Each structure stands twice: as structure tokens, then as C-alpha cells.
């Protein structure tokens, strides 16, 4: 109480000045830390933005879908991510549209004796949606006699339906996937797996299925069907030999006695058409 008020106010003012100094120092250090951390976390975004911007400048605009306006790095990254997602969706849709053609090309290479390596073969089967064939493998050909078919508006649909029904019946009986290939419009080639069945059991089951299918198609559409089978093989890499035997059976002609499926062992009984 004995101290003069002026001295007290002077000390208080010094204390306030010191507090303001500390506050400004803390604020400056905090801002510097925030700027550093922001720069460190956003530097890679800026780098990606520069790279994508350079690529987009080099690419013709007609081949891409990029907004005209330019933004900051975050907007550029956002646009790039959106464009990547759109391109991915378009590529997936394009792949789905081309998958039937790719499946046909792949099966054609197997039949021609040009299979890929074992690792590539598994990759192709997975990417094209094929199920792995178990047990012994064989080629079965079906030739549809379409000479008496009326060429009306639904002609193509009927033919495709008959081919698809043929595959489904054999697949259901053998419990296997079917790899199919059209050698010609009336000739469809199928690759089947026998699963746990032996060669004799599989051949008998195929004969009975072929007989039933021929009867159903004949009654429904008045179309006759001839079947020819190749020999049994152990893997897809050997399927071309089965295909060659099936083609030889199909081209050999009709048997002297009725057979549901013409097998390589029956070739001696064939006579030219």
C-alpha cells in the first residue's frame, strides 16, 4: 500500500507487454508449424497435379473428358480421380462387351494347338469367366441340318437357342462347364470335362444325352443333329488332338449302323457320304 500507484501501473504494463510478446511468439510458431505441415502433406498432391496436368496438355482433348476450367491442385486431383474412375468403368464395360469374342478367340487357340503357358492359362480362364474343367477332357461336335429351316424373322434366334440348349444339356449331365466354338454356322464344337466319371461311363452318358437331345430337337423343330466325339485327353494343352479326331469323325460320314455319337473307334465302320 505504501508503493506509489504509478510504479504499480508501470509494472503491470510491463507484464502485459510480456504476455503480448509471448502470445505473438506462440502464434508465430504455431503458424509456422501449420504452414510446414500443410506444405509437407500437400507437396505430393501438387506433384501429382503437375504430372497429370502435363499429361492432359499433351493428350488431344478429343480423346478425353476433362473440364475446360482450371483449378487449384486439389481440384485437379479431384478431376483426375473422377476421370480415372470414369475410364475404369468404361474399360470394364468395354471388356464385358468384348468378352464373348475374347472367349471365342481363346477357345479357338486351344483347339488350334496354341495354348498359353500354364500360369497364363489359369489367368485367362479366370479373367474370361471359365470354370476349370475336371477329370478327363474331350471335344464333342454337333452339326445341325438346317437345310429345311424356314428363313423367317426368328430363324437366327431358334438356331442360337438350339445350340445353347445343346450345351446346357451336356453340361448338366456331366456337371461341367462348356467351352464352345463355332467352326461354321451349323457346326458347334464343345470342350467338356468328365469330372469323376471314367471314360466308359462318360461316353455312355454322352450317348444317352445326345439321343435325348436329337429326339427333342427333331420333335420341336424338325432339325436333325449329328454328333462326333474326339478322344479323351488329360489337359487343355492336349485338347487339339481330341479336336482333330472329332473333326475326322464328323467328316468321315454316316456309320453303317446307327450311333448316337461317332467316336474315333468307330471310324473303320464309316462310309463316305
Amino acid at each position: 500500500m505504501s508503493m506509489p500507484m504509478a510504479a504499480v501501473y508501470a509494472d503491470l504494463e510491463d507484464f502485459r507487454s510480456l504476455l503480448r510478446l509471448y502470445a505473438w511468439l506462440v502464434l508465430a510458431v504455431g503458424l509456422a508449424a501449420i504452414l510446414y505441415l500443410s506444405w509437407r502433406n500437400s507437396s505430393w498432391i501438387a506433384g501429382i497435379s503437375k504430372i497429370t496436368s502435363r499429361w492432359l496438355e499433351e493428350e488431344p482433348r478429343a480423346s478425353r473428358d476433362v473440364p475446360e476450367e482450371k483449378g487449384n491442385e486439389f481440384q485437379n486431383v479431384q478431376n483426375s480421380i473422377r476421370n480415372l474412375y470414369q475410364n475404369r468403368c468404361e474399360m470394364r464395360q468395354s471388356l464385358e462387351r468384348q468378352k464373348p469374342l475374347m472367349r471365342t478367340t481363346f477357345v479357338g487357340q486351344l483347339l488350334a494347338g496354341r495354348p498359353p503357358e500354364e500360369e497364363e492359362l489359369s489367368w485367362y480362364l479366370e479373367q474370361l469367366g471359365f470354370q476349370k474343367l475336371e477329370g478327363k477332357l474331350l471335344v464333342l461336335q454337333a452339326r445341325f441340318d438346317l437345310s429345311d429351316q424356314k428363313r423367317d424373322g426368328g430363324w437366327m434366334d431358334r438356331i442360337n437357342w438350339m445350340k445353347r440348349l445343346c450345351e446346357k444339356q451336356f453340361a448338366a449331365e456331366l456337371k461341367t462347364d462348356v467351352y464352345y466354338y463355332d467352326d461354321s454356322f451349323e457346326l458347334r464344337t464343345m470342350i467338356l470335362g468328365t469330372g469323376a466319371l471314367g471314360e466308359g461311363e462318360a461316353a455312355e452318358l454322352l450317348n444317352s444325352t445326345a439321343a435325348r437331345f436329337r429326339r427333342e430337337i427333331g420333335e420341336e423343330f424338325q432339325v436333325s443333329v449329328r454328333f462326333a466325339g474326339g478322344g479323351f485327353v488329360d489337359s487343355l494343352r492336349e485338347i487339339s488332338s481330341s479336336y482333330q479326331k472329332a473333326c475326322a469323325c464328323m467328316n468321315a460320314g454316316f456309320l453303317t449302323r446307327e450311333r448316337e455319337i461317332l467316336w474315333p473307334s468307330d471310324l473303320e465302320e464309316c462310309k463316305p457320304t
Side-chain angles (χ1 to χ4, degrees):
M1 296 296 295
S2 63
M3 293 181 61
M5 295 301 296
V8 174
Y9 286 132
D11 293 339
L12 182 59
E13 188 63 28
D14 293 339
F15 183 71
R16 288 178 178 175
S17 299
L18 187 60
L19 284 178
R20 286 194 293 268
L21 178 60
Y22 287 157
W24 282 110
L25 287 176
V26 170
L27 181 60
V29 172
L31 289 175
I34 291 173
L35 291 175
Y36 171 73
L37 293 176
S38 300
W39 172 82
R40 189 183 66 177
N41 293 333
S42 63
S43 58
W44 64 274
I45 298 178
I48 294 176
S49 177
K50 291 179 181 179
I51 294 175
T52 55
S53 298
R54 185 169 62 252
W55 286 349
L56 294 176
E57 290 175 357
E58 296 174 355
E59 183 181 4
R61 183 166 187 82
S63 63
R64 55 186 170 89
D65 183 14
V66 181
E68 289 287 352
E69 63 275 4
K70 294 183 179 181
N72 56 30
E73 287 80 359
F74 294 97
Q75 291 175 336
N76 290 336
V77 171
Q78 182 182 12
N79 293 335
S80 299
I81 294 175
R82 183 179 65 250
N83 293 332
L84 288 174
Y85 176 76
Q86 292 176 349
N87 292 337
R88 180 174 179 270
C89 293
E90 292 175 358
M91 290 178 62
R92 177 176 296 180
Q93 294 174 358
S94 176
L95 177 61
E96 290 298 325
R97 290 193 298 267
Q98 297 179 10
K99 186 172 289 187
L101 177 60
M102 296 172 64
R103 288 170 63 101
T104 302
T105 303
F106 175 73
V107 176
Q109 290 179 346
L110 294 178
L111 297 176
R114 300 192 302 271
E117 298 297 330
E118 195 64 33
E119 294 184 357
E120 296 180 356
L121 181 61
S122 301
W123 184 85
Y124 277 113
L125 294 178
E126 180 180 357
Q127 295 298 318
L128 297 178
F130 285 113
Q131 297 178 13
K132 186 177 180 180
L133 301 179
E134 302 292 343
K136 293 286 187 178
L137 311 182
L138 79 153
V139 168
L140 183 67
Q141 289 187 327
R143 183 183 293 276
F144 298 83
D145 185 2
L146 307 176
S147 57
D148 297 332
Q149 285 292 298
K150 183 179 180 180
R151 305 302 201 265
D152 55 11
W155 180 65
M156 292 289 296
D157 293 335
R158 290 197 302 273
I159 301 304
N160 291 328
W161 184 86
M162 285 189 288
K163 292 179 179 179
R164 186 58 181 159
L165 180 61
C166 180
E167 299 161 15
K168 285 185 175 181
Q169 289 198 4
F170 283 102
E173 292 295 333
L174 292 177
K175 297 179 176 58
T176 180
D177 193 10
V178 177
Y179 306 172
Y180 66 87
Y181 182 84
D182 286 334
D183 291 76
S184 62
F185 184 72
E186 70 279 357
L187 179 61
R188 171 152 290 192
T189 298
M190 298 170 285
I191 303 177
L192 306 170
T194 61
L197 299 176
E199 294 184 9
E201 295 176 315
E204 183 177 353
L205 184 58
L206 289 170
N207 285 328
S208 61
T209 305
R212 184 173 67 254
F213 178 77
R214 292 173 64 181
R215 183 173 60 255
E216 293 176 357
I217 293 300
E219 294 174 356
E220 182 71 20
F221 297 101
Q222 292 74 47
V223 173
S224 61
V225 187
R226 294 171 53 196
F227 288 97
F232 293 90
V233 295
D234 295 323
S235 68
L236 286 175
R237 301 185 64 82
E238 304 171 1
I239 202 66
S240 60
S241 62
S242 180
Y243 173 66
Q244 294 173 0
K245 293 178 181 179
C247 291
C249 291
M250 183 61 72
N251 295 330
F254 295 100
L255 286 174
T256 56
R257 53 196 178 98
E258 184 68 19
R259 295 294 174 90
E260 303 300 340
I261 298 178
L262 181 61
W263 297 98
S265 58
D266 301 326
L267 282 181
E268 295 181 357
E269 304 178 32
C270 291
K271 65 179 180 179
T273 56

